Amino acid sequence: MNSVMGLINLSEDESFITEVTQGRPLAALPFGGRYRLIDFTLSNMVNSDIANVGILLHDKFRALMDHLRSGKEWDLARKQDGLFILPPVQAEQAVLGDLQNIYQNRDYLLRSRDQYVLVSGSSSICNIDYRKALAFHVQTGADVTLIYNQMAVGDDDFIHCTTVAIDDSDRIVDMEVNAAKVKTNKVSMGMYLLDRELLIDLVDQAVARGETDFVKGIFLRNLNKIKICGFCHYGYLGRIHSIASYYRHNMALLRPEVWQELFFENGLIYTKVKDEAPTSYGVFSDVRGTLVANGCLLDGTVSDSVLFRGVKIHHQACVRDSLIMQNCEISEGAVLEHVICDKGVKITKGKRLIGEKCYPLVIKKGTVI
């Protein structure tokens, strides 16, 4: 994959998950105890030998910059190639769309020596080897290879998705974006592999036509003009498109087979390193079926939950089926069930917070209840 560069497009629809993205982009959303969503995309690229990665920022990127730093954790702090942060050139781009953002950063594409570009978002959680997609791309002679996943009929993750129809030769013959009623179970993972010069040409043409949306302006409009083929990823896919999906895919990590696949199948998932003490379990702690990060102080009852770094659960507190993010504190006698606590939340003594499995209760960052 030395001939492939990565381009991570962070212009993603956050309108259905604003409770936890008000102060951070979707890519910086905490996941799995100590990770961020972008860790999966970055790690998959690095594990596939992609050494040149550009990140197209949109807005609210302070938290993401703090997480990425120099890219050292992903082995992208290099003298040649490495990690490139591509902020919007003009503030108006937030309104004009992601296509304009790519166009304004086309110099980065022009200066690259790589033949191909892998364009991806950050909302699809998976562990994928992009080298297999490149082999498929070369074998089929496609202009564009779109990576998709076949989801089970009735899956909740069909919401706000892009679906594709594929013929016997793996060519995509139809594509629908945010369709009210899906016609196929083949869901785009928002990952596209194509020739770098072709991408530049397609972006130039789309911008000249006044297009603003990358998927609609590049792929949907040219579906019958260029050869777009579909490569199927058969592994686990977690689409983060709502609070319910965010909660559900975090909870899926409590299943060992999902954890094993997501973090080890095709390579390790890397994240920002923090040197913290191991979690301390008090004499009254009762922790079962829970994913616990480092630096926690636990002296209460916890079951079927995900605890991020630095969480404190006091004596006689009870947490069930909940996500408790970094540096939260649950005081004595508090009861939480189906709750998402954003960073720095404090639940005082005796409070009782109950959400629903399909609609968890979200406590915003820094709130004291």
Side-chain angles (χ1 to χ4, degrees):
M1 293 284 279
N2 290 330
S3 60
V4 181
M5 61 183 294
L7 189 64
I8 302 177
N9 179 12
L10 299 189
S11 295
E12 299 172 294
D13 187 3
E14 302 170 358
S15 59
F16 298 95
I17 194 170
T18 55
E19 295 93 332
V20 289
T21 57
Q22 286 184 338
R24 59 169 79 95
L26 187 64
L29 194 59
F31 186 84
R34 63 192 185 102
Y35 298 87
R36 306 287 180 126
L37 294 190
I38 197 171
D39 292 340
F40 291 87
T41 305
L42 272 177
S43 299
N44 287 333
M45 288 184 173
V46 170
N47 291 335
S48 301
D49 298 329
I50 296 177
N52 178 12
V53 179
I55 299 180
L56 287 161
L57 301 178
H58 187 240
D59 58 4
K60 304 177 293 184
F61 44 80
R62 186 202 58 77
L64 187 66
M65 298 287 287
D66 176 62
H67 180 70
L68 296 174
R69 298 187 290 193
S70 66
K72 179 182 177 182
E73 279 82 358
W74 299 269
D75 193 26
L76 290 173
R78 304 181 178 204
K79 292 182 178 178
Q80 189 172 23
D81 292 331
L83 185 66
F84 292 84
I85 303 298
L86 306 172
V89 177
Q90 300 173 0
E92 293 88 330
Q93 286 169 358
V95 177
L96 294 176
D98 56 346
L99 192 54
Q100 296 283 344
N101 200 7
I102 296 174
Y103 178 77
Q104 294 293 343
N105 284 287
R106 66 197 296 275
D107 282 351
Y108 169 65
L109 295 170
L110 287 169
R111 285 201 296 265
S112 173
R113 298 169 285 108
D114 298 305
Q115 181 179 354
Y116 302 103
V117 184
L118 176 70
V119 184
S120 175
S122 66
S123 61
S124 293
I125 302 300
C126 65
N127 191 321
I128 182 173
D129 186 351
Y130 291 122
R131 289 170 292 199
K132 295 179 182 176
L134 177 61
F136 172 87
H137 182 76
V138 173
Q139 179 186 352
T140 57
D143 295 313
V144 178
T145 292
L146 176 151
I147 301 175
Y148 70 93
N149 186 271
Q150 294 192 82
M151 303 179 68
V153 176
D155 195 306
D156 292 334
D157 280 345
F158 278 115
I159 300 172
H160 313 305
C161 67
T162 296
T163 56
V164 295
I166 300 176
D167 66 13
D168 294 337
S169 62
D170 293 321
R171 182 163 182 167
I172 295 176
V173 294
D174 195 14
M175 176 185 290
E176 293 183 325
V177 179
N178 292 332
K181 185 177 181 180
V182 297
K183 301 175 183 175
T184 169
N185 68 336
K186 297 178 176 62
V187 175
S188 169
M189 296 170 61
M191 303 170 184
Y192 310 90
L193 181 62
L194 67 164
D195 189 276
R196 177 176 57 86
E197 294 183 355
L198 175 61
L199 174 63
I200 295 172
D201 289 342
L202 291 173
V203 169
D204 288 347
Q205 294 169 18
V207 170
R209 291 193 302 265
E211 302 280 359
T212 58
D213 187 274
F214 177 68
V215 173
K216 294 178 181 176
I218 298 291
F219 304 118
L220 196 56
R221 180 173 280 272
N222 293 297
L223 194 58
N224 298 318
K225 298 177 183 176
I226 58 177
K227 183 180 180 181
I228 304 178
C229 290
F231 173 80
C232 185
H233 169 65
Y234 291 98
Y236 183 87
L237 171 66
R239 290 187 61 247
I240 308 300
H241 53 82
S242 64
I243 286 294
S245 67
Y246 174 64
Y247 174 81
R248 185 171 63 254
H249 289 299
N250 266 286
M251 286 303 180
L253 298 178
L254 301 180
R255 291 150 51 193
E257 67 276 15
V258 174
W259 170 266
Q260 184 70 26
E261 178 183 338
L262 271 181
F263 290 95
F264 299 101
E265 183 75 16
N266 292 301
L268 300 177
I269 302 300
Y270 305 99
T271 189
K272 179 181 178 180
V273 174
K274 290 185 178 180
D275 296 323
E276 291 182 287
T279 287
S280 174
Y281 294 85
V283 293
F284 299 106
S285 64
D286 182 5
V287 181
R288 302 168 188 244
T290 294
L291 186 61
V292 182
N294 291 343
C296 296
L297 298 175
L298 308 181
D299 204 22
T301 301
V302 185
S303 63
D304 303 316
S305 299
V306 178
L307 305 184
F308 291 67
R309 291 163 164 152
V311 168
K312 296 179 181 177
I313 309 290
H314 289 273
H315 177 46
Q316 293 184 335
C318 182
V319 176
R320 293 189 291 266
D321 302 302
S322 297
L323 305 182
I324 311 298
M325 293 193 201
Q326 189 173 332
N327 296 327
C328 286
E329 183 174 357
I330 314 300
S331 302
E332 292 181 15
V335 176
L336 277 66
E337 185 172 335
H338 296 119
V339 173
I340 299 175
C341 288
D342 205 335
K343 293 174 65 175
V345 166
K346 181 175 181 179
I347 309 298
T348 56
K349 290 183 179 179
K351 298 297 187 298
R352 183 179 176 87
L353 304 176
I354 308 295
E356 294 290 337
K357 184 177 181 179
C358 60
Y359 200 88
L361 177 64
V362 180
I363 311 299
K364 292 185 178 179
K365 183 178 179 180
T367 302
V368 178
I369 297 179

